[in-house]
Amino acid sequence: MDRRWRPYLISGQRLLTLGIGLIVVVSLVVASTAGTVAQASNNSVSERAYLEPVPEPGDLHFEAKADDGSWVSYENPRDEYRSPYLGGGSGKICVTLVNENGEPVIGESVPNTSVTIPTGGATTWHSEADPMTVTFPMNDHYEFPLDGDQFGTSPDIAQGDGYLDSHCIEFHGNPENATLTYGKAQLSGQYADRIDVVGYIQQTPAGDGWNTDIDPIAAAEPYEAAGGGWTYNAAENSTHGQVDVILQLDAPADERFEPPNASNGTENGSTAPSDGTDETTDKSESGSDGGNEMPGFGVLVAGVALSVAILARVRD
């Protein structure tokens, strides 16, 4: 080889070595990221999501909607009016139970368990308040177990994502300067240790209704931060108040199962058995879903092979 070309060849080899190193690092990062995403989107649960579409016009429990599409209302067997009616103060106290994946459930995996929310002030007249108690599973104890679409968005409806997710009591007829209070949620019963109180979401909107464009887990706050109650203010058009207590299942890992893909989910309020049986295919049998392979490893192999080919070409 002509010595005049040796410095350029050495520089090229150093550059190539650096390139190989970069390919390895980038490939490992891609592999790590892909693995994290796959794990996050495939969490095991102790109870499958309860998918109950909201009532449509003409359905049982559909109440009314605004002509301009700004709001929609569903009937609730726990919706009561104060007698005597003292004013336009109204509101809700709700419970939202989600599984380990953050999806709404009705508590089939935690029977003989309940959550109690002390209430006071302007709610003591309500037949299911003072305190409010919700017993699981909800469909065994209540007509219309979920009655509120509190979270998510959809272009087809004014509020919510089109699926019920909360169990609420509603009240109307309070004085327009009344104060409503509620206490910390208290869990009791057979599986109380499998439910976490994530927090509270309190909103006292001035005429715009409940904001559903939030994630219940991310938006939940500690009791003290949420407020523990509210006072109506008719002068500010704030005559509606609401709190949603967010609960999440946390069962032992060996009593969970892999949920099916979203396309295989159930609808119309039906749920899968919640006995912890894993109905999915064993990933170790064929590896067709990539469960026993390192995501992104092919990128690494291809990068190294390409680098070797380039090195061989340079040596020639």
Side-chain angles (χ1 to χ4, degrees):
M1 176 182 294
D2 192 326
R3 293 181 180 276
R4 291 175 299 174
W5 294 103
R6 184 172 296 278
Y8 298 102
L9 178 58
I10 293 174
S11 297
Q13 290 174 332
R14 289 175 178 171
L15 181 61
L16 184 59
T17 300
L18 178 60
I20 293 174
L22 288 175
I23 290 173
V24 172
V25 172
V26 171
S27 299
L28 290 176
V29 170
V30 170
S32 175
T33 302
T36 300
V37 172
Q39 183 179 11
S41 62
N42 196 30
N43 291 335
S44 60
V45 297
S46 58
E47 184 172 335
R48 195 163 298 170
Y50 187 85
L51 300 180
E52 177 70 42
V54 298
E56 299 285 344
D59 291 346
L60 181 67
H61 296 306
F62 181 86
E63 190 170 35
K65 66 177 181 178
D67 294 336
D68 62 0
S70 60
W71 56 265
V72 62
S73 178
Y74 312 115
E75 291 182 352
N76 181 352
R78 295 166 291 278
D79 186 357
E80 298 185 10
Y81 288 77
R82 193 184 193 286
S83 180
Y85 191 92
L86 300 178
S90 66
K92 289 183 178 183
I93 299 177
C94 303
V95 169
T96 295
L97 177 65
V98 299
N99 62 18
E100 291 84 353
N101 233 8
E103 302 162 322
V105 294
I106 56 173
E108 288 190 326
S109 64
V110 286
N112 304 314
T113 306
S114 62
V115 56
T116 297
I117 304 164
T119 59
T123 61
T124 54
W125 53 269
H126 193 289
S127 64
E128 297 196 40
D130 197 29
M132 173 187 178
T133 298
V134 181
T135 304
F136 307 116
M138 298 179 199
N139 61 337
D140 281 357
H141 299 276
Y142 307 99
E143 176 189 0
F144 205 29
L146 298 182
D147 51 77
D149 185 3
Q150 302 287 91
F151 304 104
T153 60
S154 169
D156 300 324
I157 57 176
Q159 293 178 311
D161 61 2
Y163 289 91
L164 299 173
D165 51 40
S166 302
H167 176 103
C168 309
I169 62 171
E170 301 183 39
F171 36 87
H172 309 273
N174 289 319
E176 295 178 1
N177 61 350
T179 295
L180 181 147
T181 59
Y182 58 88
K184 292 183 178 181
Q186 303 165 2
L187 295 166
S188 60
Q190 183 176 358
Y191 295 104
D193 60 343
R194 298 189 181 189
I195 303 176
D196 295 331
V197 179
V198 180
Y200 307 75
I201 302 174
Q202 177 179 306
Q203 295 184 25
T204 51
D208 295 329
W210 176 267
N211 174 25
T212 68
D213 191 15
I214 53 177
D215 177 86
I217 300 297
E221 298 180 300
Y223 174 80
E224 292 77 11
W230 61 85
T231 298
Y232 298 111
N233 190 330
E236 297 180 0
N237 194 29
S238 184
T239 56
H240 182 92
Q242 193 166 331
V243 65
D244 202 324
V245 181
I246 311 301
L247 308 176
Q248 186 169 30
L249 297 177
D250 186 15
D254 60 353
E255 296 189 25
R256 303 183 190 183
F257 61 94
E258 297 291 341
N261 294 331
S263 60
N264 296 328
T266 57
E267 293 190 4
N268 299 320
S270 59
T271 62
S274 56
D275 58 2
T277 303
D278 188 346
E279 299 176 353
T280 59
T281 302
D282 186 351
K283 297 180 182 179
S284 62
E285 291 180 0
S286 65
S288 60
D289 62 355
N292 56 357
E293 298 177 4
M294 178 182 289
F297 189 69
V299 177
L300 175 60
V301 174
V304 172
L306 178 61
S307 302
V308 170
I310 295 173
L311 179 59
R313 187 179 184 87
V314 171
R315 288 185 181 277
D316 289 344

Coordinates of all heavy atoms in Angstrom, one line a residue, residues 251-256 276:
A251 N -53.9 -5.6 43.4 CA -53.9 -7.0 43.8 C -52.5 -7.6 43.7 O -51.7 -7.0 43.0 CB -54.9 -7.8 42.9
P252 N -52.2 -8.6 44.5 CA -50.9 -9.3 44.4 C -50.7 -9.7 42.9 O -51.6 -10.1 42.2 CB -51.1 -10.5 45.3 CG -52.2 -10.1 46.2 CD -53.1 -9.3 45.5
A253 N -49.4 -9.7 42.5 CA -49.0 -9.9 41.1 C -49.5 -11.3 40.7 O -49.9 -11.5 39.5 CB -47.5 -9.8 41.0
D254 N -49.5 -12.3 41.6 CA -49.8 -13.7 41.2 C -51.3 -13.9 41.0 O -51.8 -14.9 40.7 CB -49.2 -14.7 42.1 CG -49.7 -14.5 43.5 OD1 -50.4 -13.5 43.8 OD2 -49.4 -15.4 44.4
E255 N -52.1 -12.8 41.3 CA -53.5 -12.9 41.1 C -54.0 -12.0 40.1 O -55.2 -11.6 40.0 CB -54.2 -12.6 42.5 CG -53.9 -13.6 43.5 CD -54.8 -13.4 44.8 OE1 -55.9 -12.9 44.7 OE2 -54.3 -13.9 45.9
R256 N -53.2 -11.6 39.1 CA -53.5 -10.8 38.0 C -53.4 -11.6 36.7 O -52.9 -12.7 36.7 CB -52.6 -9.5 37.9 CG -52.6 -8.7 39.2 CD -51.8 -7.4 39.0 NE -51.5 -6.7 40.3 CZ -50.9 -5.6 40.4 NH1 -50.3 -5.0 39.3 NH2 -50.7 -5.0 41.5
G276 N -58.5 -14.1 38.2 CA -57.1 -14.0 38.0 C -56.5 -15.0 37.0 O -55.3 -15.1 36.8

